Amino acid sequence: MNKTDKVALYIDPPSYHFLRNQLFNVNDGRLNGDNILAPYAQIKEFFNSNGVTVNTADYLLKTKGDGARNIYVSMGMLSNYLKLAQRKDTVLSAFFAMECPIVEPSMYESLKGAEKHFNRILSWSDSDSLVKFTGKPIQIDRFCWPQSFDDVHEELWYNIDRKFLTMINSNKLPQVYWQELYTERLRAVEFFSRTGEIDLYGVGWDGPPFRLGKTRVPNTLRRLHRTLLKHWQRIRPDPLLAVVQRCYRGQAKSKSETLGQYTFAICFENMILKGWITEKIFDCFFAGTVPIYWGA
């Protein structure tokens, strides 16, 4: 490739919510964290300053070929790469397995096929640890979750007027119950709620849990099912969930500011898996909160 060749980078985000370049909008907090999209914005800024345009992959799908050499990277999306693999102007550079396997087992099952098309497959873990989900060993490169900050939040770090214990998580359940920690979080909250020693924040604790992962069930039916579960919960309340709801304090407007109000925070990962370390423990470090951690 000559230096004069036009190069464009297209990133398929982990969710359709971040198409139309919303992936680079640092003010979008739908991923449950402060500035959590900052690494993507930094990528865009870096490559733009070096003459490489960066967009989300929906813009690539709209182009018919404008003479650019397109570099395609997927952050977990599997719906577009086979179509793009047929284009001579596009290189399938990397597939990042972003989600943990008990949430998206179908994604890991599909890596055997994706490996044939992408130059590299990346995961937090390694091939041996993931073979239960991939079905066979595949070539996997390691990557670590990028953090949005490189120092502590000083105004929060030095806060000494703190309450005892918190947990910030959404009310969710995985597709697969193997080495999972979703229910362990619930048990921990229930234990400390008996004596009123914990404040719970997050999405969805005022109703039944959300089932994560892709399924063949249409979203309309999934929403209907959850509505029915909400009605059933009023008739026959889940005793464990009812106890947990007593310490529910709603959504945290700012994760870091909320953590900074507490001495300790329960920050279990989604599952126990080699290499699976996400932002949860680092959020505590930034805010000067002691993490009660369980994970990799």
Side-chain angles (χ1 to χ4, degrees), residues 186-244:
L186 196 62
R187 290 178 60 206
V189 174
E190 188 272 335
F191 177 85
F192 286 103
S193 68
R194 297 174 195 172
T195 50
E197 293 182 300
I198 189 169
D199 291 333
L200 172 65
Y201 296 88
V203 177
W205 291 103
D206 53 349
F210 295 92
R211 181 71 62 177
L212 293 170
K214 296 181 179 66
T215 70
R216 297 180 184 277
V217 180
N219 286 333
T220 303
L221 290 180
R222 295 179 73 176
R223 286 194 293 269
L224 176 60
H225 180 251
R226 192 164 190 278
T227 301
L228 293 174
L229 285 177
K230 279 186 176 181
H231 289 302
W232 181 248
Q233 179 74 14
R234 295 190 188 101
I235 299 169
R236 295 285 298 273
D238 181 331
L240 182 58
L241 188 58
V243 171
V244 167

Side-chain angles (χ1 to χ4, degrees), residues 72-105:
Y72 172 76
V73 172
S74 174
M75 310 304 289
M77 283 287 186
L78 286 162
S79 55
N80 296 319
Y81 81 88
L82 287 176
K83 191 186 310 176
L84 294 171
Q86 301 173 20
R87 291 181 53 159
K88 294 182 179 180
D89 64 346
T90 302
V91 174
L92 272 58
S93 178
F95 182 91
F96 287 80
M98 296 288 289
E99 192 53 89
C100 72
I102 61 170
V103 170
E104 289 290 3

Side-chain angles (χ1 to χ4, degrees), residues 65-194:
D66 57 0
R69 185 67 162 168
N70 302 316
I71 309 300
Y72 172 76
V73 172
S74 174
M75 310 304 289
M77 283 287 186
L78 286 162
S79 55
N80 296 319
Y81 81 88
L82 287 176
K83 191 186 310 176
L84 294 171
Q86 301 173 20
R87 291 181 53 159
K88 294 182 179 180
D89 64 346
T90 302
V91 174
L92 272 58
S93 178
F95 182 91
F96 287 80
M98 296 288 289
E99 192 53 89
C100 72
I102 61 170
V103 170
E104 289 290 3
S106 61
M107 179 180 72
Y108 286 84
E109 292 170 7
S110 301
L111 290 184
K112 297 187 294 290
E115 184 184 27
K116 300 173 184 176
H117 297 277
F118 284 91
N119 290 343
R120 57 192 67 82
I121 304 289
L122 297 102
S123 168
W124 338 74
S125 195
D126 55 39
S127 181
D128 290 342
S129 302
L130 293 170
V131 74
K132 176 181 175 66
F133 298 93
T134 58
K136 70 166 192 174
I138 62 174
Q139 178 63 45
I140 290 179
D141 294 321
R142 176 84 185 278
F143 82 100
C144 300
W145 185 268
Q147 298 304 311
S148 300
F149 306 97
D150 57 9
D151 204 349
V152 301
H153 307 314
E154 289 201 25
E155 71 281 9
L156 302 175
W157 179 269
Y158 292 107
N159 180 25
I160 58 174
D161 183 22
R162 294 174 180 252
K163 292 174 274 190
F164 177 56
L165 177 66
T166 188
M167 188 180 85
I168 305 176
N169 275 110
S170 297
N171 185 16
K172 297 175 180 178
L173 288 173
Q175 288 282 328
V176 178
Y177 287 85
W178 180 78
Q179 299 283 72
E180 61 88 17
L181 294 176
Y182 287 89
T183 53
E184 294 299 332
R185 292 174 188 156
L186 196 62
R187 290 178 60 206
V189 174
E190 188 272 335
F191 177 85
F192 286 103
S193 68
R194 297 174 195 172

Side-chain angles (χ1 to χ4, degrees), residues 45-62:
E45 181 181 346
F46 172 81
F47 281 109
N48 284 171
S49 66
N50 285 276
V52 178
T53 59
V54 181
N55 292 293
T56 50
D58 46 314
Y59 291 98
L60 173 59
L61 295 167
K62 294 174 183 176

Side-chain angles (χ1 to χ4, degrees), residues 274-295:
K274 182 179 179 181
W276 179 254
I277 303 173
T278 61
E279 80 287 349
K280 297 174 180 61
I281 191 170
F282 298 101
D283 290 337
C284 292
F285 292 155
F286 292 135
T289 304
V290 180
I292 310 303
Y293 185 74
W294 193 0

